[in-house]
Each structure stands twice: as structure tokens, then as C-alpha cells.
Amino acid sequence: MEREVGLDQLGDLALHIILSKLGPEDTVRVSCVSRRLRLSTSEDSLWALFCFQDLQLSTPQDHQGNPASSFKAAYQLWREAFAMYPWPLVKRVKRCWDKLKNWLSNDFPEVEATLRSGASESDIQQLETRLKVKLPLPTRLLYRFHDGQERTDEGHSSTWLGSSLGIIGGYSFYNHLVNVYLLPISQVIEGTRMVIRHLGFSSRSKYIVVAASAYRPKKFFLNCTNGQLYVGTSNLPTDGEMIQCVPNALIRSVHDLHGDQQQDAMLLWLEEHGRRLENGIIKVCEEGNVRSISLFPEVPPLCSTAVTNGVQVRASAAFVPELANLQDSAEKYLFAYSIRMSLLPGGCIIDGMTFSSCQLNWRHWIIRANEAIISDVNGEAVIGQFPLLHPGEDEFVYESCTPLSSSSGWRTRKEGHLTFKWQGSPCRSQIMFSDKLLHSFLDSMLSPWFWKILSDNKYERLRHCETLF
């Protein structure tokens, strides 16, 4: 007969493996069984594993970055600091911030430097008291890790309103420049009170301003009751018109302290933003020595690319909600698009001959919606310029915009060509926006979702959306 072996009779390595499989909570329970198990469960190598699995910690430290005496002490400090929150949600919010900060550290450290230390429970309670709201649990935790961004950006501008260091980023075309910041609690309070005072929102409104753009007006609002996120349209100042950012079906248990499935639109928004940054879908762009996160997608299928005779043209689009006008049946929705052209290192190759430069001469764009032509641009130059391209140089970039009347049941396509000249000889570089670019137009919104307004909540004077696709 096989002899049963108790935990006390196991070797140290076997016991360590078993305890590592139990997890932190059961390991603490096992420590009460015997003196040997108490000693084994106190080994710091075991708690180093738990700290890494739950919190991605490689050194013992508390949630504020202060060093702890051991990994076991660090784990205990984290659990105590967030005792009022579901632990799975704490781990998820930390992963969200870690992904954003890892990318920022490598690609845009200037923005990482603007992130404020986490807010205290007292800070959050002050916000709730002053604005008479109760924050969704995921948003509370997001603020516990980082209280938005600093209002000043040394070396860039005296005030954040003139800076390009918004963690959410933005876009520009003509004189319309957007760069979105996460607001600290103090600015959430001030901004929300201003909205109530100037936009006619009810003082009983459960909407708070959580993010805003430098330069041009663009504001994001969180509904603290249901956890939904909204972005204001061009009619926000006159009648509080907004567009919903996330489908309601994805939001759940935003005030449930006992479940493990809590997620509000704010958390989903930042998780998707982090995914796009990490995967290179959106990147840092530089213009005139000013760096910022550009929301124009950089990779297929959200970015279309065509190469003809060595000339490369790339194009992508972004929805511009702050200029949408849902009351205008002809031009409800506005989309910005970015065209990037460059000459590949091999130069222009025509009939076996290589040329070291080429110059844009003409462009012809056609934008169709539901097979109807809504815009036909045919003329010289782009934005008044005739860019001269050389092999290996940076892309020449220009942005423009186009309105669309509908977001339902459409097939939208932008197609056309650019004509370049070298040594007096013209050649056409075709760039076709396929039907797949429809997804670029919709998905390039700061939030990964875009929905149609269906109803008007008169009590809050807010226009709400339901899912469209």
C-alpha cells in the first residue's frame, strides 16, 4: 500500500511548489496549521512570486513606490491600502496603468513625468461631497493610482492648456488642434462646476468632467451613476449635446463592492488606449519640434498604404466628435484624415530609370457615401504646397477633414490619386481607400466605439446613444 504523506513530511522544494499554486489567501490559511508550514509560508521567495503574479512587482514596495522590508510586507501593504476594493479590480487597474506607463517610459517620457501621484480616499471623498456624486469603483481606483496629469509642463508651456503632453493625445487639421489630458481631481471639481454654471446642466446632474483638450474645446464626461463616458459635440455649449463612447453592454457592476466583474467606461477607455499605443496603432508624432500622441492610425487595416514607382502614400482617419452636429441632417459627423507621402530609399523608378526626387503636382480625391459622391476635389497642390520628395526623408504630412450626413447603413470610400513630376514627366501614384477604411473612420475615435444618438434625456439635457454596429 502507498503511504500517505502529509504536508509536514514533504521536502522544502515540493512544499514551495504546492504553496505557490495555492495563492496568497490560501497560503495565509495554511500557515496556521503547523510551525513548519508557518515558516514555509513566510519565505520571501514565495511572496516575491505572489507580488509579481498579482502586481508585477520585481522589488518590494508599497503602492506609493516606497520600499518595503520584504515582499511579504509589500503584499500586505498593498492589500491594506486597497482593502475596500475588490482585489481582482485592483490588479486590473494596476495592469492598465502599468501598460500606459511602460509605453510612456520608452516612447514619451515627457508625458509620464506629468502623471500625478495617486489621490487619497480623502481627496476622492471631497470630490464626491462637493459634486454630490459617487464615483464608480473602477474610476475611483484609477484616481488612487494617478490623480490625472499635472497642470504645468516645464519647458513647454506655463499652463497645460497650451501644451501637447496630453496622455490621450489628439489630432490637428487646418487651425483645429486637439490634445486631451486626464484632469486631476481639483480640475474635475472646477471643470464640472463651470459646466453646471455655464452650460445649464442641472446641479443634480451626475456627470463630471474627467478629461479635456488643450487648445480647442473637447470635453469628456463620466456619468457617475451608470459608469458611461460621453464626449461633447459642437452643440455642447448650447444644449448639452453629447455622444456616448462605450456600448452599455460592456459596462457592469460599477458600484458593486463584492463582485469581480466591475468595469466602467473610463477603465475600458484607458485599457483600449493603452492597447493601441502598445501595438503601434497610434504613435508619437513630431511637428515643429513639438511632440504629441497622434490619434491618426499608423497600421493596417486602419491605415491604407499605396506604393507606385517608389512613391509611398499612407492615409488614415479619425472621428472628430467635438465638431459633430447631430441636429444638422446634411453634415452631422465630421472626420479628419491624414495623408502622408514619401519617396522610398530606392528613389523613383520609371521604365527602369531611377530618379533622385519627385514633386507633387496634382491631386484628385473623391469621397463617396452610399455610392453617392459627397466630395470631389480636383486641383493643384495640397494645402497650397508642392512638396518635393527625396529618398529616405521624413514623410510630408497634411491633414484635412470631411463631413458626412449619416453613420448608419452606409458604405464610405475615399479614393483618388496624386500626380508627381520628376524632370518634367508626370506619373500617377494611386491611393485607394477601400471599404475597410470605414472601420478606420469609426474606430479611430479616441474611444474604440462610436454610436448613433437615438434619444434625448430632457432631464439632463443630454443626447444619449445606443449601439449602432
Side-chain angles (χ1 to χ4, degrees), residues 143 183 187-188 191-192 195 207-212 219-222:
Y143 275 106
L183 300 183
Q187 288 297 300
V188 171
T192 302
V195 165
Y207 292 83
I208 62 173
V209 183
V210 292
K219 289 183 173 64
F220 288 84
F221 298 82
L222 180 70

Side-chain angles (χ1 to χ4, degrees), residues 42-109:
S42 297
E43 291 180 2
D44 214 38
S45 60
L46 180 64
W47 289 95
L49 177 63
F50 292 151
C51 280
F52 184 78
Q53 289 176 339
D54 281 12
L55 302 165
Q56 292 77 52
L57 294 180
S58 56
T59 58
Q61 56 184 269
D62 66 13
H63 70 288
Q64 295 178 325
N66 301 314
S69 59
S70 65
F71 279 105
K72 183 177 181 181
Y75 195 90
Q76 185 175 0
L77 289 170
W78 274 83
R79 294 302 294 257
E80 290 173 353
F82 297 100
M84 67 173 287
Y85 299 97
W87 188 241
L89 182 60
V90 174
K91 295 189 290 184
R92 179 176 175 181
V93 171
K94 185 178 186 301
R95 287 195 301 270
C96 175
W97 274 119
D98 284 348
K99 179 176 290 189
L100 285 167
K101 291 195 295 181
N102 287 340
W103 183 88
L104 290 172
S105 177
N106 294 322
D107 293 80
F108 208 171

Side-chain angles (χ1 to χ4, degrees), residues 64 114-120 123 143-148 150:
Q64 295 178 325
T114 70
L115 293 177
R116 295 168 56 90
S117 299
S120 66
D123 294 331
Y143 275 106
R144 284 295 308 276
F145 280 88
H146 287 287
D147 182 15
E150 291 286 355

Side-chain angles (χ1 to χ4, degrees), residues 180-204:
V180 175
Y181 279 70
L182 290 181
L183 300 183
I185 282 177
S186 61
Q187 288 297 300
V188 171
I189 295 172
E190 181 181 328
T192 302
R193 284 179 166 176
M194 186 178 299
V195 165
I196 292 173
R197 186 165 58 249
H198 295 292
L199 300 187
F201 279 25
S202 166
S203 60
R204 292 174 292 177

Side-chain angles (χ1 to χ4, degrees), residues 33 63 103 112 114 166 172 178 204 233-234 237 250 298 305 311 338 353 370 385 394 405 421 430:
V33 173
H63 70 288
W103 183 88
E112 184 185 22
T114 70
S172 65
V178 165
R204 292 174 292 177
T233 71
S234 63
L250 295 180
E298 294 281 346
T305 301
V311 178
S338 174
M353 298 180 63
N370 287 329
Q385 299 185 52
D394 291 341
S405 61
K421 286 187 176 182
Q430 294 287 152

Side-chain angles (χ1 to χ4, degrees), residues 151-187:
R151 292 185 58 190
T152 58
D153 299 301
E154 186 176 350
H156 288 78
S157 173
S158 59
T159 170
W160 70 274
L161 285 172
S163 172
S164 60
L165 299 183
I167 191 173
I168 302 302
Y171 37 75
S172 65
F173 54 94
Y174 304 132
N175 64 343
H176 189 83
L177 179 60
V178 165
N179 194 264
V180 175
Y181 279 70
L182 290 181
L183 300 183
I185 282 177
S186 61
Q187 288 297 300

